[in-house]
Amino acid sequence: MDAKTFDKSRLPSRHTTVGPTRAPHRSFLYAMGLSREEINQPLVGVASCWNEAAPCNISLMRQAQVVKKGVASAHGTPREFCTITVTDGIAMGHQGMKASLVSRDVIADSVELTMRGHCYDAIVGLAGCDKSLPGMMMAMVRLNVPSIFIYGGSILPGTFKGRQITVQDVFEAVGQHSVGDMSDEDLLEIEQHACPSAGSCGAQFTANTMATVAEAIGLALPYSCGAPAPYEIRDRFCYASGEKVMELIAANIRPRDIVTRKALENAAAVVSASGGSTNAALHLPAIAHECGIDFDLFDVAEIFKKTPYIADLKPGGKYVAKDMFEAGGIPLLMKTLLEHGHLHGDCMTVTGRTIAENMEYVSWNDQQDVVRPANTPITKTGGVVGLKGNLAPDGAIVKVAGMANQKFSGPARCFDSEEECFDAVTHKRYEEGEVLVIRYEGPRGGPGMREMLSTTAALYGQGMGDKVALITDGRFSGATRGFCIGHVGPEAAVGGPIALIRDGDIIEIDAVEGTLDVRLSEDELAERAKAWTSRETDSSSGVLWKYAQTVGSARHGAVTHPGGAKEKHCYADI
């Protein structure tokens, strides 16, 4: 494609590269070795969440170099920059987890600011760890310049005593160790062998769930999100993404042409079909919010309710992301969903073709058992379920993939922080049949809506995964399994019903009917509400304080600004 094809008069980079008044700006570009021809080409931001915090992100900078080659080959000028990542696997189980969800919005904000400040014309965004994926996609639809998303790829599975393991097994091993069911030597061995390569956590946890979303929603090239991080084929996807974004500039295909309500419904469908992370019910409304589309937890839950669960993936199943890629990848999952009426085929994608057109090239693989045909599912309803009731008027979410029993009733045992509950679990200060309640961990109350994997994995490791339930206004990791309900809203910090529960109150959970109730009358709840008083967090300054001042409810994605519906213009049209 000839660079002369691009008319700079409609591109943001005209503000920094065109005309006599921009001579000082061009001087900076010459100082970095750019030629006059390169300055006159479209400037493409190559945004990476690279860091040395975890294996999820460690390969992103190398992959970004390949993206840049693809951009340059199509007569664009790549400009690489990095943003932050908070890695849940390391932030988990302590105060650092309060930074996790906050980082999603900081990523989106920092990408926006870099793009705005330097007037880049398009973006190719690379992300690896949980919150960085939705953060990068939120930035894309907010900016609305031609964009392509790239997932850094999943980690390879580890091996322990001849069986395939992931980091989930290490968290659960902590629980086994705490009750004497695992030796010090075995715990050391499992921690040293669970994560053998670069890449994000290998099962259908949050990172792989949102990677599946990226393809289904149309922002990533087909197959690109399934290839594990160490596979050399990733370079082909990165190079192709760099080339393809230049075609999107020429055709003026933008993220909001792709991320429509139908596309969001497609995204929710693949989450449900793959038994994905409950965190998707938080991130899909946030992505929708950036577009100005009203698509909340209940809208997501409606799709979950009518989508079959067909991918036998961990933590509820037996396979990891590498296995699904080798069986046929995310397009294999999408192909059968489309054929059986669970996807909208007319949605545009970054290929310049629709979902249905992309799927024409996908053949069903009947030699694999990772993904079942959508008409012969593992279960007829999805692997993730939305709940509502007098304990959760604004909804809640539970992952039911792999669960035999989907109903639970028992007395509450209340904790006002994750640490209190984890300590009780570690020392077995709870009883079989109880519903553990962790509150004041919501978006505002945390602040930051922490995940509870350390606690839930410890329960599972103790053999209590199906003998107790746990509810929280915080979140759960995609690796969580067992009867664990998150996103209970309204949260305790704003006086939601979860703040009014007392030890011994009977809580009733029915994931079949989609209900979450406490056996109390409206009058009793109203009487308790009169005596309730708000509490201060210990975050009285800094980013957590700032986040708490603006964050909204989990139902609407825990967003921090008015969104696309309120904007007067978007960046792409400056």
Side-chain angles (χ1 to χ4, degrees):
M1 184 177 291
D2 192 323
K4 293 179 181 177
T5 303
F6 298 100
D7 178 9
K8 279 251 185 172
S9 67
R10 64 175 179 81
L11 298 180
S13 66
R14 71 186 186 277
H15 295 297
T16 58
T17 62
V18 175
T21 61
R22 298 313 182 218
H25 306 65
R26 291 192 295 271
S27 290
F28 278 12
L29 299 178
Y30 283 122
M32 292 181 284
L34 296 188
S35 66
R36 185 175 182 182
E37 180 183 18
E38 288 172 316
I39 293 171
N40 288 334
Q41 293 176 162
L43 305 184
V44 177
V46 179
S48 164
C49 293
W50 175 86
N51 63 27
E52 293 183 332
C56 328
N57 316 309
I58 200 70
S59 70
L60 295 178
M61 186 174 288
R62 186 196 66 77
Q63 293 187 44
Q65 308 317 306
V66 185
V67 173
K68 290 162 67 177
K69 291 178 181 178
V71 171
S73 75
H75 303 289
T77 301
R79 308 313 298 152
E80 183 182 1
F81 64 94
C82 289
T83 183
I84 68 158
T85 313
V86 172
T87 297
D88 289 6
I90 292 177
M92 194 76 67
H94 54 89
Q95 290 290 308
M97 179 47 72
K98 291 183 177 181
S100 172
L101 184 59
V102 180
S103 77
R104 182 195 71 179
D105 293 69
V106 171
I107 289 165
D109 293 349
S110 63
V111 171
E112 177 193 358
L113 292 174
T114 301
M115 294 287 291
R116 279 188 181 277
H118 306 103
C119 295
Y120 295 154
D121 301 314
I123 182 172
V124 179
L126 300 93
C129 198
D130 295 3
K131 307 309 171 294
S132 62
L133 282 80
M136 191 65 72
M137 287 186 268
M138 287 163 66
M140 290 174 173
V141 293
R142 183 188 301 180
L143 292 161
N144 203 33
V145 291
S147 305
I148 295 183
F149 177 83
I150 297 176
Y151 179 42
S154 67
I155 200 170
L156 298 178
T159 303
F160 175 68
K161 295 186 175 181
R163 66 181 176 91
Q164 190 168 273
I165 60 171
T166 70
V167 72
Q168 170 195 348
D169 296 275
V170 189
F171 276 98
E172 292 178 3
V174 173
Q176 294 173 285
H177 183 267
S178 73
V179 293
D181 289 343
M182 178 172 285
S183 68
D184 292 346
E185 292 76 19
D186 280 353
L187 181 60
L188 177 61
E189 183 178 346
I190 201 170
E191 74 176 67
Q192 290 180 336
H193 291 87
C195 300
S197 73
S200 302
C201 297
Q204 200 67 349
F205 308 153
T206 305
N208 281 322
T209 297
M210 295 310 296
T212 307
V213 161
E215 283 196 32
I217 212 168
L219 288 174
L221 294 179
Y223 297 101
S224 66
C225 289
Y231 283 19
E232 293 300 316
I233 196 174
R234 292 221 53 79
D235 285 3
R236 291 167 60 184
F237 294 124
C238 292
Y239 193 93
S241 296
E243 289 182 308
K244 182 61 70 173
V245 80
M246 299 305 296
E247 295 180 20
L248 296 180
I249 296 173
N252 196 29
I253 296 175
R254 301 179 178 186
R256 295 186 196 178
D257 301 321
I258 294 169
V259 183
T260 61
R261 185 178 181 88
K262 283 185 176 181
L264 290 158
E265 291 176 353
N266 286 347
V270 298
V271 172
S272 190
S274 64
S277 170
T278 55
N279 282 307
L282 193 71
H283 301 321
L284 290 177
I287 293 169
H289 178 75
E290 300 288 355
C291 304
I293 299 171
D294 185 10
F295 189 74
D296 69 8
L297 171 64
F298 294 124
D299 295 307
V300 175
E302 277 301 306
I303 304 299
F304 288 170
K305 190 184 300 183
K306 60 187 180 184
T307 307
Y309 167 43
I310 60 174
D312 193 11
L313 297 170
K314 287 178 179 284
K318 61 182 177 179
Y319 292 111
V320 294
K322 174 188 79 73
D323 300 321
M324 187 160 83
F325 177 69
E326 292 171 352
I330 296 165
L332 185 76
L333 178 78
M334 294 174 61
K335 175 82 170 181
T336 188
L337 288 174
L338 179 67
E339 288 181 340
H340 293 92
H342 298 290
L343 290 185
H344 302 289
D346 57 347
C347 294
M348 178 57 64
T349 74
V350 291
T351 65
R353 301 187 296 269
T354 65
I355 291 286
E357 289 169 336
N358 289 343
M359 292 301 106
E360 288 177 14
Y361 301 92
V362 178
S363 299
W364 179 255
N365 175 9
D366 60 6
Q367 302 301 305
Q368 56 81 40
D369 64 348
V370 182
V371 179
R372 298 190 188 182
N375 61 337
T376 57
I378 299 169
T379 58
K380 291 183 179 180
T381 54
V384 186
V385 172
L387 307 174
K388 188 177 183 181
N390 71 345
L391 188 47
D394 271 358
I397 199 85
V398 61
K399 187 170 187 174
V400 297
M403 283 173 50
N405 178 31
Q406 297 186 15
K407 297 182 180 182
F408 196 99
S409 178
R413 185 179 292 253
C414 301
F415 305 92
D416 287 347
S417 72
E418 182 192 9
E419 284 84 356
E420 289 181 19
C421 186
F422 183 70
D423 184 67
V425 169
T426 302
H427 297 95
K428 294 215 71 175
R429 294 195 302 270
Y430 66 93
E431 301 293 333
E432 183 176 326
E434 289 184 327
V435 179
L436 309 183
V437 179
I438 304 178
R439 56 196 178 192
Y440 296 100
E441 291 284 7
R444 184 174 299 180
M449 204 179 183
R450 286 193 288 180
E451 290 182 355
M452 310 292 170
L453 178 59
S454 292
T455 303
T456 60
L459 284 167
Y460 213 93
Q462 292 175 355
M464 300 295 286
D466 59 351
K467 296 179 176 63
V468 298
L470 195 157
I471 71 170
T472 180
D473 52 7
R475 298 180 296 121
F476 291 116
S477 166
T480 292
R481 54 179 173 166
F483 226 133
C484 301
I485 293 94
H487 305 198
V488 174
E491 62 172 297
V494 297
I498 192 172
L500 311 178
I501 303 303
R502 297 173 184 168
D503 287 350
D505 289 342
I506 301 300
I507 294 175
E508 298 171 331
I509 307 162
D510 189 335
V512 178
E513 296 299 322
T515 58
L516 175 61
D517 292 291
V518 58
R519 202 179 292 168
L520 294 173
S521 67
E522 289 185 19
D523 289 344
E524 174 63 20
L525 284 170
E527 196 62 31
R528 291 188 187 184
K530 292 177 184 176
W532 177 84
T533 56
S534 61
R535 57 173 59 196
E536 291 184 4
T537 72
D538 58 2
S539 299
S540 56
S541 186
V543 67
L544 296 181
W545 175 87
K546 187 189 302 184
Y547 181 81
Q549 308 314 303
T550 57
V551 69
S553 70
R555 173 179 174 175
H556 297 286
V559 294
T560 55
H561 68 108
K566 299 293 185 180
E567 69 184 19
K568 295 182 179 178
H569 65 84
C570 72
Y571 164 77
D573 297 320
I574 62 170

